[in-house]
């Protein structure tokens, strides 16, 4: 029998199954597998940094990434403001060192300097006040600790536009803007990129276009008879790679910032 799930901190509403709205990525959805594997690749990149440490995942969504980090961390805590996501994560992912909290990421109510690694993947582009968010992330990060922020490359996800194509995105960054954003908050920082590899890299070369853009406008016949039943299910985290350059061509940026010692 399942353990009882503590929902005392959640609004007392009925929570239906999580729906695929475009605001968050869900596992186990064939049509979403490209985006899910792309996000999961970034979480896998973080595993060595999480090993044996206390980890905070801000804007954890469905919870799959926080659960993965808990497989390596001493403790992993996922935070989200969507009650249905927190409820789902608590019911779905169970480890002794894993917790999910219903909190405002601008005002966490957690102790100063209490985490070794603070991460937030594919969240900052959704925020009206990203600098305020980063100040709160720094507050709970111990001196010498690492903050990791990922966000999509505006040049790839919204090509030729100043405003995001995704209606859930408030602000997207190109590589220069994101490097400046990380430097504003950390005296020591670096930015890496997520790129297509293996099957996706081959697809890009043969088709002459980036798959992340192509998949938004598949011809109906190709989507029905090739991409949906055959190509998308084949994709895994091995079809993505994290590299330093060229950042202007990256799918997503991974910003790493270390909090200075006193």
């Amino acid at each position: 029998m399942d353990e009882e799930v503590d929902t005392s901190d959640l609004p007392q509403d009925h929570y239906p199954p999580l729906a695929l709205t475009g605001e968050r990525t869900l596992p186990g959805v064939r049509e979403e597998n490209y985006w899910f594997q792309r996000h999961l690749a970034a979480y896998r990149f973080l595993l060595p940094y999480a090993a044996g440490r206390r980890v905070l995942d801000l804007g954890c969504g469905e919870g799959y990434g926080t659960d993965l980090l808990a497989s390596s961390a001493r403790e992993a805590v996922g935070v989200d403001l969507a009650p249905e996501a927190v409820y789902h994560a608590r019911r779905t992912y169970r480890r002794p060192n894993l917790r999910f909290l219903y909190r405002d990421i601008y005002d966490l109510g957690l102790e100063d300097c209490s985490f070794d690694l603070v991460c937030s993947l594919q969240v900052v582009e959704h925020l009206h006040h990203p600098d305020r968010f980063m100040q709160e992330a720094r507050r709970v990060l111990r001196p010498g600790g690492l903050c990791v922020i990922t966000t999509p490359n505006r040049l790839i996800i919204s090509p030729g536009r100043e405003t995001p194509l995704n209606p859930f995105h408030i602000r997207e960054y190109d590589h220069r803007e994101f490097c400046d954003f990380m430097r504003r908050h950390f005296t020591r920082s670096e930015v890496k990129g997520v790129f297509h590899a293996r099957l996706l890299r081959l697809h890009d070369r043969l088709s002459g276009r980036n798959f992340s853009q192509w998949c938004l406008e598949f011809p109906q016949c190709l989507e029905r008879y090739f991409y949906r039943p055959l190509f998308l299910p084949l994709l895994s985290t091995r079809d993505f790679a994290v590299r330093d350059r060229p950042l202007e061509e990256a799918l997503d940026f991974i910003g790493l910032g270390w909090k200075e010692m006193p």
Side-chain angles (χ1 to χ4, degrees):
M1 181 179 296
D2 287 345
E3 300 176 19
E4 183 177 351
V5 177
D6 181 11
T7 60
S8 58
D9 62 336
L10 297 174
Q12 296 304 302
D13 294 316
H14 172 69
Y15 301 111
L18 290 183
L20 188 61
T21 64
E23 187 173 14
R24 68 172 68 91
T25 299
L26 303 179
V29 180
R30 182 172 52 183
E31 294 80 3
E32 184 73 359
N33 190 47
Y34 167 77
W35 301 101
F36 171 68
Q37 298 296 339
R38 176 167 152 179
H39 293 183
L40 192 63
Y43 273 110
R44 288 194 179 279
F45 169 78
L46 288 181
L47 281 175
Y49 297 101
R53 293 176 171 85
R54 192 162 189 246
V55 178
L56 179 65
D57 186 9
L58 299 176
C60 65
E62 192 269 353
Y64 64 87
T66 319
D67 178 66
L68 177 62
L69 295 176
S71 70
S72 175
R74 173 166 57 90
E75 179 186 8
V77 179
V79 169
D80 207 280
L81 190 59
E84 70 277 10
V86 175
Y87 180 81
H88 168 90
R90 288 177 179 176
R91 290 189 62 87
T92 305
Y93 303 105
R94 308 286 186 87
R95 297 178 188 266
N97 64 334
L98 175 62
R99 291 188 295 149
F100 292 97
L101 303 178
Y102 172 67
R103 300 288 175 90
D104 184 344
I105 58 175
Y106 293 122
D107 186 13
L108 292 166
L110 300 172
E111 293 183 5
D112 293 356
C113 306
S114 53
F115 290 90
D116 305 295
L117 170 64
V118 176
C119 62
S120 186
L121 279 63
Q122 306 295 321
V123 171
V124 70
E125 65 273 9
H126 295 263
L127 303 180
H128 288 279
H129 306 290
D131 291 308
R132 180 180 162 196
F133 162 71
M134 292 295 285
Q135 290 166 6
E136 183 69 349
R138 276 184 54 91
R139 182 186 67 78
V140 299
L141 185 65
R142 70 165 178 81
L146 174 64
C147 179
V148 179
I149 306 294
T150 77
T151 193
N153 181 358
R154 175 171 59 84
L155 301 180
I156 302 297
I157 199 168
S158 299
R161 293 173 57 97
E162 293 297 325
T163 56
L165 281 171
N166 188 319
F168 296 104
H169 290 183
I170 306 301
R171 165 76 190 277
E172 295 171 351
Y173 303 81
D174 64 25
H175 60 293
R176 293 186 180 88
E177 293 165 340
F178 188 66
C179 288
D180 289 344
F181 175 77
M182 292 299 299
R183 283 193 290 262
R184 270 206 314 273
H185 296 282
F186 297 98
T187 54
R188 179 190 169 198
S189 67
E190 62 182 74
V191 175
K192 299 180 181 294
V194 176
F195 298 84
H196 286 157
R198 298 175 71 250
L199 188 58
L200 286 167
R201 186 178 181 187
L202 177 62
H203 181 281
D204 289 352
R205 287 182 173 179
L206 292 177
S207 66
R209 62 176 70 192
N210 189 292
F211 184 82
S212 66
Q213 298 165 346
W214 174 234
C215 69
L216 299 176
E217 52 183 26
F218 286 141
Q220 187 174 0
C221 61
L222 283 176
E223 179 179 13
R224 182 176 180 182
Y225 295 108
F226 175 68
Y227 285 105
R228 186 183 297 182
L230 300 175
F231 188 82
L232 289 174
L234 289 177
L235 300 179
S236 72
T237 55
R238 293 180 300 167
D239 296 298
F240 298 90
V242 176
R243 302 198 306 266
D244 293 330
R245 296 289 183 273
L247 282 180
E248 64 272 17
E249 298 177 10
L251 305 164
D252 301 308
F253 304 126
I254 302 179
L256 300 92
W258 288 265
K259 187 174 179 179
E260 61 276 5
M261 301 293 289

